[in-house]
Amino acid sequence: MLNQQVDAWNAGNIDGFMAHYWRDPDVRFASGGDVKRGWQRVLDQYRERYPDRSAMGVLTTREIDVTLLSPEEGYVFGRWIVTAKGEDFCGLFTLVVRDINNQWVIVHDHTSMSSGPAADGRSCSDIKAS
């Protein structure tokens, strides 16, 4: 699922990226001190923030850790790096995923952007290269 999301993002396909979110009014996306609820609202936010392929850049994920809480639910923690217009931006994400109708979907996404180096001193570029 995550690899398909990265592939969709890097192809400039926000709809393909969003295909892995629960298409429900209760899906939740939290970032920057704000919470968006509802699949359409999350999609609209992505489209507004990333209006074209150039703004989307290239997404890389690192340090993925998947924990199953039950056969139907789990969470995923990791780092993301987006390289756009010659700059690297990075942060952390925690996804709550659920098996709904035999398809794993994201029901909650909490994503943050780093404001400086990681606690261990690594920059976004260092994390991307690891």
Side-chain angles (χ1 to χ4, degrees):
M1 178 183 81
L2 292 175
N3 290 337
Q4 290 173 354
Q5 274 198 300
V6 169
D7 291 346
W9 185 273
N10 291 337
N13 180 357
I14 288 179
D15 292 334
F17 180 82
M18 284 293 298
H20 299 283
Y21 282 82
W22 186 28
R23 199 173 189 127
D24 190 273
D26 286 333
V27 71
R28 182 173 42 207
F29 181 88
S31 185
D34 193 23
V35 177
K36 299 280 190 272
R37 281 193 169 274
W39 186 89
Q40 186 64 51
R41 196 161 177 215
V42 173
L43 173 64
D44 292 345
Q45 175 181 290
Y46 272 116
R47 284 186 176 155
E48 181 179 319
R49 183 161 183 167
Y50 303 101
D52 57 37
R53 175 74 186 89
S54 172
M56 291 176 75
V58 175
L59 172 64
T60 306
T61 57
R62 294 284 186 264
E63 302 174 26
I64 303 299
D65 181 26
V66 178
T67 302
L68 286 178
L69 302 172
S70 74
E72 295 85 26
E73 193 163 59
Y75 68 89
V76 181
F77 178 83
R79 293 183 181 274
W80 61 268
I81 306 98
V82 169
T83 303
K85 301 176 183 172
E87 285 190 74
D88 289 329
F89 304 90
C90 63
L92 303 171
F93 64 88
T94 303
L95 309 173
V96 176
V97 295
R98 191 173 295 149
D99 183 350
I100 298 175
N101 298 324
N102 294 314
Q103 180 181 1
W104 285 94
V105 293
I106 299 164
V107 298
H108 173 82
D109 178 341
H110 188 176
T111 296
S112 64
M113 184 166 11
S114 296
S115 58
D120 60 8
R122 293 181 299 161
S123 69
C124 294
S125 298
D126 295 333
I127 293 166
K128 184 171 89 175
S130 66

